[in-house]
mmCIF file of all heavy atoms in Angstrom:
data_model
loop_
_atom_site.group_PDB
_atom_site.id
_atom_site.type_symbol
_atom_site.label_atom_id
_atom_site.label_comp_id
_atom_site.label_asym_id
_atom_site.label_seq_id
_atom_site.Cartn_x
_atom_site.Cartn_y
_atom_site.Cartn_z
ATOM 1 N N TYR A 800 8.399 0.847 -1.568
ATOM 2 C CA TYR A 800 7.587 1.982 -2.123
ATOM 3 C C TYR A 800 6.097 1.781 -1.711
ATOM 4 O O TYR A 800 5.483 2.796 -1.402
ATOM 5 C CB TYR A 800 7.798 2.091 -3.668
ATOM 6 C CG TYR A 800 7.144 3.230 -4.260
ATOM 7 C CD1 TYR A 800 6.879 4.379 -3.600
ATOM 8 C CD2 TYR A 800 6.733 3.131 -5.640
ATOM 9 C CE1 TYR A 800 6.276 5.436 -4.235
ATOM 10 C CE2 TYR A 800 6.132 4.189 -6.258
ATOM 11 C CZ TYR A 800 5.860 5.349 -5.558
ATOM 12 O OH TYR A 800 5.258 6.397 -6.191
ATOM 13 N N LEU A 801 5.671 0.554 -1.758
ATOM 14 C CA LEU A 801 4.201 0.334 -1.435
ATOM 15 C C LEU A 801 3.908 0.886 -0.060
ATOM 16 O O LEU A 801 2.883 1.530 0.168
ATOM 17 C CB LEU A 801 3.898 -1.149 -1.533
ATOM 18 C CG LEU A 801 2.388 -1.587 -1.155
ATOM 19 C CD1 LEU A 801 1.427 -0.806 -2.148
ATOM 20 C CD2 LEU A 801 2.313 -2.992 -1.279
ATOM 21 N N MET A 802 4.691 0.553 0.951
ATOM 22 C CA MET A 802 4.496 1.084 2.295
ATOM 23 C C MET A 802 4.661 2.561 2.360
ATOM 24 O O MET A 802 3.795 3.254 3.034
ATOM 25 C CB MET A 802 5.404 0.352 3.309
ATOM 26 C CG MET A 802 5.120 -1.004 3.672
ATOM 27 S SD MET A 802 5.252 -2.209 2.254
ATOM 28 C CE MET A 802 5.099 -3.733 3.238
ATOM 29 N N ALA A 803 5.694 3.131 1.756
ATOM 30 C CA ALA A 803 5.985 4.511 1.754
ATOM 31 C C ALA A 803 4.814 5.301 1.270
ATOM 32 O O ALA A 803 4.330 6.318 1.793
ATOM 33 C CB ALA A 803 7.246 4.858 1.096
ATOM 34 N N ALA A 804 4.303 4.809 0.072
ATOM 35 C CA ALA A 804 3.209 5.504 -0.596
ATOM 36 C C ALA A 804 1.920 5.419 0.181
ATOM 37 O O ALA A 804 1.142 6.417 0.332
ATOM 38 C CB ALA A 804 2.999 4.875 -1.936
ATOM 39 N N PHE A 805 1.631 4.203 0.695
ATOM 40 C CA PHE A 805 0.359 4.026 1.456
ATOM 41 C C PHE A 805 0.355 4.913 2.740
ATOM 42 O O PHE A 805 -0.667 5.609 3.021
ATOM 43 C CB PHE A 805 0.208 2.546 1.866
ATOM 44 C CG PHE A 805 -1.150 2.249 2.468
ATOM 45 C CD1 PHE A 805 -2.243 2.063 1.759
ATOM 46 C CD2 PHE A 805 -1.278 2.249 3.852
ATOM 47 C CE1 PHE A 805 -3.481 1.727 2.294
ATOM 48 C CE2 PHE A 805 -2.447 2.029 4.484
ATOM 49 C CZ PHE A 805 -3.573 1.718 3.676
ATOM 50 N N ASN A 806 1.436 4.945 3.423
ATOM 51 C CA ASN A 806 1.529 5.774 4.627
ATOM 52 C C ASN A 806 1.435 7.240 4.376
ATOM 53 O O ASN A 806 0.924 8.053 5.164
ATOM 54 C CB ASN A 806 2.727 5.370 5.449
ATOM 55 C CG ASN A 806 2.650 4.025 6.039
ATOM 56 O OD1 ASN A 806 1.607 3.468 6.292
ATOM 57 N ND2 ASN A 806 3.848 3.392 6.202
ATOM 58 N N ARG A 807 1.987 7.629 3.186
ATOM 59 C CA ARG A 807 2.097 9.009 2.835
ATOM 60 C C ARG A 807 0.780 9.583 2.295
ATOM 61 O O ARG A 807 0.369 10.706 2.716
ATOM 62 C CB ARG A 807 3.204 9.282 1.778
ATOM 63 C CG ARG A 807 3.453 10.648 1.347
ATOM 64 C CD ARG A 807 3.871 11.538 2.384
ATOM 65 N NE ARG A 807 4.097 12.870 1.937
ATOM 66 C CZ ARG A 807 4.372 13.973 2.739
ATOM 67 N NH1 ARG A 807 4.371 13.808 4.008
ATOM 68 N NH2 ARG A 807 4.513 15.148 2.215
ATOM 69 N N VAL A 808 0.096 8.882 1.405
ATOM 70 C CA VAL A 808 -1.085 9.488 0.685
ATOM 71 C C VAL A 808 -2.376 8.954 1.131
ATOM 72 O O VAL A 808 -3.428 9.499 0.809
ATOM 73 C CB VAL A 808 -0.865 9.347 -0.829
ATOM 74 C CG1 VAL A 808 0.393 9.942 -1.315
ATOM 75 C CG2 VAL A 808 -0.989 7.870 -1.227
ATOM 76 N N VAL A 809 -2.463 7.844 1.829
ATOM 77 C CA VAL A 809 -3.804 7.242 2.105
ATOM 78 C C VAL A 809 -4.190 7.437 3.539
ATOM 79 O O VAL A 809 -5.197 8.149 3.820
ATOM 80 C CB VAL A 809 -3.764 5.726 1.826
ATOM 81 C CG1 VAL A 809 -5.116 5.153 2.119
ATOM 82 C CG2 VAL A 809 -3.302 5.453 0.388
ATOM 83 N N ARG A 810 -3.472 6.987 4.502
ATOM 84 C CA ARG A 810 -3.724 7.126 5.985
ATOM 85 C C ARG A 810 -5.164 6.773 6.245
ATOM 86 O O ARG A 810 -5.922 7.650 6.605
ATOM 87 C CB ARG A 810 -3.402 8.489 6.426
ATOM 88 C CG ARG A 810 -1.931 8.846 6.339
ATOM 89 C CD ARG A 810 -1.631 10.237 6.808
ATOM 90 N NE ARG A 810 -0.225 10.629 6.796
ATOM 91 C CZ ARG A 810 0.590 10.395 7.808
ATOM 92 N NH1 ARG A 810 0.139 9.812 8.883
ATOM 93 N NH2 ARG A 810 1.849 10.766 7.659
ATOM 94 N N PRO A 811 -5.676 5.520 6.036
ATOM 95 C CA PRO A 811 -7.035 5.180 6.220
ATOM 96 C C PRO A 811 -7.403 5.047 7.738
ATOM 97 O O PRO A 811 -6.474 4.902 8.528
ATOM 98 C CB PRO A 811 -7.219 3.812 5.565
ATOM 99 C CG PRO A 811 -5.812 3.297 5.697
ATOM 100 C CD PRO A 811 -4.850 4.381 5.645
ATOM 101 N N ARG A 812 -8.673 5.087 8.030
ATOM 102 C CA ARG A 812 -9.088 4.696 9.401
ATOM 103 C C ARG A 812 -8.926 3.214 9.539
ATOM 104 O O ARG A 812 -8.924 2.483 8.570
ATOM 105 C CB ARG A 812 -10.596 5.083 9.520
ATOM 106 C CG ARG A 812 -10.894 6.540 9.361
ATOM 107 C CD ARG A 812 -12.363 6.816 9.780
ATOM 108 N NE ARG A 812 -13.268 5.930 9.063
ATOM 109 C CZ ARG A 812 -13.802 6.212 7.902
ATOM 110 N NH1 ARG A 812 -13.528 7.374 7.270
ATOM 111 N NH2 ARG A 812 -14.665 5.386 7.352
ATOM 112 N N HIS A 813 -8.870 2.780 10.814
ATOM 113 C CA HIS A 813 -8.584 1.344 11.069
ATOM 114 C C HIS A 813 -9.719 0.463 10.519
ATOM 115 O O HIS A 813 -9.550 -0.690 10.253
ATOM 116 C CB HIS A 813 -8.449 1.133 12.538
ATOM 117 C CG HIS A 813 -7.142 1.608 13.067
ATOM 118 N ND1 HIS A 813 -5.943 1.229 12.624
ATOM 119 C CD2 HIS A 813 -6.905 2.596 14.030
ATOM 120 C CE1 HIS A 813 -4.924 1.840 13.256
ATOM 121 N NE2 HIS A 813 -5.533 2.665 14.063
ATOM 122 N N ASP A 814 -10.922 1.036 10.471
ATOM 123 C CA ASP A 814 -12.063 0.152 10.061
ATOM 124 C C ASP A 814 -12.457 0.425 8.589
ATOM 125 O O ASP A 814 -13.557 -0.004 8.207
ATOM 126 C CB ASP A 814 -13.326 0.421 10.990
ATOM 127 C CG ASP A 814 -13.704 1.919 10.994
ATOM 128 O OD1 ASP A 814 -12.999 2.735 10.405
ATOM 129 O OD2 ASP A 814 -14.851 2.145 11.435
ATOM 130 N N GLU A 815 -11.681 1.110 7.802
ATOM 131 C CA GLU A 815 -12.049 1.523 6.524
ATOM 132 C C GLU A 815 -11.869 0.330 5.458
ATOM 133 O O GLU A 815 -10.912 -0.348 5.515
ATOM 134 C CB GLU A 815 -11.253 2.752 6.084
ATOM 135 C CG GLU A 815 -11.743 3.375 4.754
ATOM 136 C CD GLU A 815 -10.932 4.621 4.462
ATOM 137 O OE1 GLU A 815 -10.039 5.044 5.210
ATOM 138 O OE2 GLU A 815 -11.330 5.300 3.487
ATOM 139 N N ASP A 816 -12.811 0.268 4.556
ATOM 140 C CA ASP A 816 -12.743 -0.628 3.425
ATOM 141 C C ASP A 816 -12.167 0.189 2.221
ATOM 142 O O ASP A 816 -12.648 1.241 1.958
ATOM 143 C CB ASP A 816 -14.035 -1.243 3.056
ATOM 144 C CG ASP A 816 -14.648 -2.051 4.147
ATOM 145 O OD1 ASP A 816 -13.915 -2.393 5.052
ATOM 146 O OD2 ASP A 816 -15.820 -2.372 4.005
ATOM 147 N N LEU A 817 -11.164 -0.414 1.520
ATOM 148 C CA LEU A 817 -10.646 0.329 0.308
ATOM 149 C C LEU A 817 -9.926 -0.598 -0.495
ATOM 150 O O LEU A 817 -9.411 -1.653 -0.159
ATOM 151 C CB LEU A 817 -9.739 1.528 0.723
ATOM 152 C CG LEU A 817 -8.494 1.240 1.514
ATOM 153 C CD1 LEU A 817 -7.315 0.938 0.633
ATOM 154 C CD2 LEU A 817 -8.190 2.421 2.421
ATOM 155 N N VAL A 818 -9.718 -0.210 -1.781
ATOM 156 C CA VAL A 818 -8.817 -0.729 -2.759
ATOM 157 C C VAL A 818 -7.770 0.318 -3.088
ATOM 158 O O VAL A 818 -8.167 1.428 -3.517
ATOM 159 C CB VAL A 818 -9.537 -1.220 -4.027
ATOM 160 C CG1 VAL A 818 -8.535 -1.759 -5.039
ATOM 161 C CG2 VAL A 818 -10.612 -2.200 -3.651
ATOM 162 N N PHE A 819 -6.536 -0.012 -2.894
ATOM 163 C CA PHE A 819 -5.459 0.910 -3.258
ATOM 164 C C PHE A 819 -4.531 0.458 -4.310
ATOM 165 O O PHE A 819 -4.002 -0.710 -4.174
ATOM 166 C CB PHE A 819 -4.671 1.208 -1.953
ATOM 167 C CG PHE A 819 -3.362 2.083 -2.207
ATOM 168 C CD1 PHE A 819 -3.544 3.353 -2.710
ATOM 169 C CD2 PHE A 819 -2.178 1.546 -1.852
ATOM 170 C CE1 PHE A 819 -2.355 4.141 -2.906
ATOM 171 C CE2 PHE A 819 -1.012 2.391 -2.014
ATOM 172 C CZ PHE A 819 -1.124 3.629 -2.625
ATOM 173 N N MET A 820 -4.401 1.165 -5.376
ATOM 174 C CA MET A 820 -3.463 0.708 -6.486
ATOM 175 C C MET A 820 -2.388 1.750 -6.527
ATOM 176 O O MET A 820 -2.605 2.971 -6.704
ATOM 177 C CB MET A 820 -4.093 0.632 -7.805
ATOM 178 C CG MET A 820 -3.157 0.188 -8.882
ATOM 179 S SD MET A 820 -3.923 -0.423 -10.368
ATOM 180 C CE MET A 820 -4.489 1.146 -11.104
ATOM 181 N N LEU A 821 -1.071 1.272 -6.463
ATOM 182 C CA LEU A 821 0.179 2.093 -6.622
ATOM 183 C C LEU A 821 0.731 1.766 -7.886
ATOM 184 O O LEU A 821 1.141 0.662 -8.141
ATOM 185 C CB LEU A 821 1.037 1.848 -5.406
ATOM 186 C CG LEU A 821 2.398 2.577 -5.556
ATOM 187 C CD1 LEU A 821 2.232 4.134 -5.455
ATOM 188 C CD2 LEU A 821 3.379 2.079 -4.504
ATOM 189 N N VAL A 822 0.950 2.794 -8.817
ATOM 190 C CA VAL A 822 1.525 2.609 -10.066
ATOM 191 C C VAL A 822 2.843 3.251 -10.196
ATOM 192 O O VAL A 822 2.993 4.360 -9.827
ATOM 193 C CB VAL A 822 0.572 3.153 -11.173
ATOM 194 C CG1 VAL A 822 1.093 2.835 -12.567
ATOM 195 C CG2 VAL A 822 -0.874 2.582 -11.014
ATOM 196 N N GLU A 823 3.858 2.482 -10.627
ATOM 197 C CA GLU A 823 5.150 3.085 -10.985
ATOM 198 C C GLU A 823 5.473 2.544 -12.437
ATOM 199 O O GLU A 823 4.804 1.770 -13.019
ATOM 200 C CB GLU A 823 6.254 2.740 -10.064
ATOM 201 C CG GLU A 823 6.500 1.239 -9.858
ATOM 202 C CD GLU A 823 7.618 0.923 -8.858
ATOM 203 O OE1 GLU A 823 8.741 1.419 -9.147
ATOM 204 O OE2 GLU A 823 7.410 0.234 -7.915
ATOM 205 N N ALA A 824 6.540 3.091 -12.990
ATOM 206 C CA ALA A 824 6.888 2.710 -14.382
ATOM 207 C C ALA A 824 6.947 1.159 -14.547
ATOM 208 O O ALA A 824 7.884 0.515 -13.914
ATOM 209 C CB ALA A 824 8.146 3.361 -14.762
ATOM 210 N N GLY A 825 6.081 0.540 -15.214
ATOM 211 C CA GLY A 825 6.188 -0.821 -15.557
ATOM 212 C C GLY A 825 5.612 -1.769 -14.515
ATOM 213 O O GLY A 825 5.625 -3.019 -14.669
ATOM 214 N N ARG A 826 5.062 -1.245 -13.384
ATOM 215 C CA ARG A 826 4.578 -2.147 -12.406
ATOM 216 C C ARG A 826 3.487 -1.490 -11.536
ATOM 217 O O ARG A 826 3.463 -0.252 -11.341
ATOM 218 C CB ARG A 826 5.730 -2.549 -11.405
ATOM 219 C CG ARG A 826 5.507 -3.809 -10.567
ATOM 220 C CD ARG A 826 6.711 -4.421 -10.061
ATOM 221 N NE ARG A 826 6.473 -5.724 -9.391
ATOM 222 C CZ ARG A 826 6.374 -6.867 -10.057
ATOM 223 N NH1 ARG A 826 6.450 -6.901 -11.324
ATOM 224 N NH2 ARG A 826 6.188 -7.988 -9.348
ATOM 225 N N ALA A 827 2.547 -2.316 -11.117
ATOM 226 C CA ALA A 827 1.479 -1.806 -10.295
ATOM 227 C C ALA A 827 1.259 -2.800 -9.080
ATOM 228 O O ALA A 827 1.334 -4.069 -9.280
ATOM 229 C CB ALA A 827 0.144 -1.705 -11.024
ATOM 230 N N CYS A 828 0.977 -2.208 -7.916
ATOM 231 C CA CYS A 828 0.666 -3.029 -6.704
ATOM 232 C C CYS A 828 -0.767 -2.683 -6.259
ATOM 233 O O CYS A 828 -1.154 -1.581 -6.395
ATOM 234 C CB CYS A 828 1.692 -2.754 -5.594
ATOM 235 S SG CYS A 828 3.338 -3.426 -5.841
ATOM 236 N N ILE A 829 -1.398 -3.697 -5.783
ATOM 237 C CA ILE A 829 -2.862 -3.429 -5.386
ATOM 238 C C ILE A 829 -3.001 -4.054 -3.993
ATOM 239 O O ILE A 829 -2.606 -5.194 -3.701
ATOM 240 C CB ILE A 829 -3.879 -4.087 -6.327
ATOM 241 C CG1 ILE A 829 -3.795 -3.420 -7.689
ATOM 242 C CG2 ILE A 829 -5.255 -4.059 -5.760
ATOM 243 C CD1 ILE A 829 -4.630 -3.975 -8.726
ATOM 244 N N LEU A 830 -3.518 -3.216 -3.042
ATOM 245 C CA LEU A 830 -3.817 -3.631 -1.688
ATOM 246 C C LEU A 830 -5.329 -3.480 -1.441
ATOM 247 O O LEU A 830 -5.918 -2.490 -1.823
ATOM 248 C CB LEU A 830 -3.114 -2.816 -0.701
ATOM 249 C CG LEU A 830 -1.735 -3.203 -0.102
ATOM 250 C CD1 LEU A 830 -1.236 -2.111 0.758
ATOM 251 C CD2 LEU A 830 -1.857 -4.529 0.638
ATOM 252 N N VAL A 831 -6.018 -4.588 -0.839
ATOM 253 C CA VAL A 831 -7.444 -4.392 -0.562
ATOM 254 C C VAL A 831 -7.533 -4.642 0.955
ATOM 255 O O VAL A 831 -7.028 -5.618 1.490
ATOM 256 C CB VAL A 831 -8.215 -5.531 -1.336
ATOM 257 C CG1 VAL A 831 -9.687 -5.320 -1.080
ATOM 258 C CG2 VAL A 831 -7.933 -5.322 -2.806
ATOM 259 N N ALA A 832 -8.349 -3.799 1.567
ATOM 260 C CA ALA A 832 -8.737 -3.939 2.994
ATOM 261 C C ALA A 832 -10.259 -4.045 3.070
ATOM 262 O O ALA A 832 -11.047 -3.371 2.374
ATOM 263 C CB ALA A 832 -8.230 -2.687 3.747
ATOM 264 N N GLN A 833 -10.721 -4.979 3.935
ATOM 265 C CA GLN A 833 -12.092 -5.160 4.178
ATOM 266 C C GLN A 833 -12.312 -5.229 5.673
ATOM 267 O O GLN A 833 -11.619 -6.063 6.455
ATOM 268 C CB GLN A 833 -12.545 -6.428 3.564
ATOM 269 C CG GLN A 833 -14.067 -6.659 3.702
ATOM 270 C CD GLN A 833 -14.855 -5.880 2.618
ATOM 271 O OE1 GLN A 833 -14.259 -5.349 1.656
ATOM 272 N NE2 GLN A 833 -16.144 -5.748 2.801
ATOM 273 N N GLY A 834 -13.161 -4.437 6.248
ATOM 274 C CA GLY A 834 -13.349 -4.442 7.623
ATOM 275 C C GLY A 834 -12.189 -4.068 8.488
ATOM 276 O O GLY A 834 -11.950 -4.536 9.634
ATOM 277 N N GLY A 835 -11.263 -3.220 7.942
ATOM 278 C CA GLY A 835 -10.054 -2.839 8.578
ATOM 279 C C GLY A 835 -9.069 -3.856 8.591
ATOM 280 O O GLY A 835 -8.008 -3.707 9.265
ATOM 281 N N LYS A 836 -9.139 -4.972 7.799
ATOM 282 C CA LYS A 836 -8.115 -5.963 7.712
ATOM 283 C C LYS A 836 -7.711 -6.193 6.222
ATOM 284 O O LYS A 836 -8.580 -6.061 5.382
ATOM 285 C CB LYS A 836 -8.624 -7.260 8.289
ATOM 286 C CG LYS A 836 -9.035 -7.195 9.695
ATOM 287 C CD LYS A 836 -9.557 -8.588 10.130
ATOM 288 C CE LYS A 836 -9.900 -8.549 11.651
ATOM 289 N NZ LYS A 836 -10.540 -9.912 12.114
ATOM 290 N N TRP A 837 -6.377 -6.396 6.078
ATOM 291 C CA TRP A 837 -5.913 -6.736 4.711
ATOM 292 C C TRP A 837 -6.555 -8.019 4.244
ATOM 293 O O TRP A 837 -6.567 -9.007 4.964
ATOM 294 C CB TRP A 837 -4.385 -6.860 4.688
ATOM 295 C CG TRP A 837 -3.718 -5.660 5.050
ATOM 296 C CD1 TRP A 837 -2.782 -5.516 6.098
ATOM 297 C CD2 TRP A 837 -3.807 -4.384 4.502
ATOM 298 N NE1 TRP A 837 -2.227 -4.259 6.180
ATOM 299 C CE2 TRP A 837 -2.828 -3.535 5.203
ATOM 300 C CE3 TRP A 837 -4.553 -3.803 3.393
ATOM 301 C CZ2 TRP A 837 -2.686 -2.150 4.908
ATOM 302 C CZ3 TRP A 837 -4.288 -2.531 3.131
ATOM 303 C CH2 TRP A 837 -3.402 -1.667 3.880
ATOM 304 N N CYS A 838 -7.049 -8.078 2.960
ATOM 305 C CA CYS A 838 -7.577 -9.264 2.414
ATOM 306 C C CYS A 838 -7.022 -9.716 1.123
ATOM 307 O O CYS A 838 -7.314 -10.793 0.636
ATOM 308 C CB CYS A 838 -9.141 -9.194 2.387
ATOM 309 S SG CYS A 838 -9.737 -8.032 1.218
ATOM 310 N N HIS A 839 -6.163 -8.803 0.473
ATOM 311 C CA HIS A 839 -5.643 -9.131 -0.776
ATOM 312 C C HIS A 839 -4.441 -8.213 -1.055
ATOM 313 O O HIS A 839 -4.457 -7.030 -0.754
ATOM 314 C CB HIS A 839 -6.688 -9.020 -1.864
ATOM 315 C CG HIS A 839 -6.191 -9.332 -3.221
ATOM 316 N ND1 HIS A 839 -6.052 -10.675 -3.633
ATOM 317 C CD2 HIS A 839 -5.854 -8.657 -4.356
ATOM 318 C CE1 HIS A 839 -5.639 -10.753 -4.948
ATOM 319 N NE2 HIS A 839 -5.488 -9.489 -5.363
ATOM 320 N N VAL A 840 -3.366 -8.831 -1.603
ATOM 321 C CA VAL A 840 -2.261 -7.996 -2.206
ATOM 322 C C VAL A 840 -1.764 -8.650 -3.416
ATOM 323 O O VAL A 840 -1.746 -9.898 -3.573
ATOM 324 C CB VAL A 840 -1.113 -7.882 -1.087
ATOM 325 C CG1 VAL A 840 -0.584 -9.239 -0.745
ATOM 326 C CG2 VAL A 840 -0.075 -6.938 -1.582
#
């Protein structure tokens, strides 16, 4: 679901910095990108 959601609703630029939180019932996933690279999950 994390990949499906990110690809569906975010679609960031390759160089974009962001924090993405995906929430479903009872669970949350967080992805952080810095300088266009993943730095935390």
Side-chain angles (χ1 to χ4, degrees):
Y800 183 31
L801 179 61
M802 282 71 166
F805 186 84
N806 292 333
R807 178 68 179 168
V808 303
V809 181
R810 295 180 179 271
R812 301 188 307 270
H813 288 302
D814 60 345
E815 187 174 5
D816 298 346
L817 63 87
V818 177
F819 173 59
M820 180 164 75
L821 174 66
V822 183
E823 60 178 301
R826 199 159 187 84
C828 290
I829 294 176
L830 267 175
V831 182
Q833 186 78 17
K836 298 180 180 181
W837 300 122
C838 65
H839 183 74
V840 63

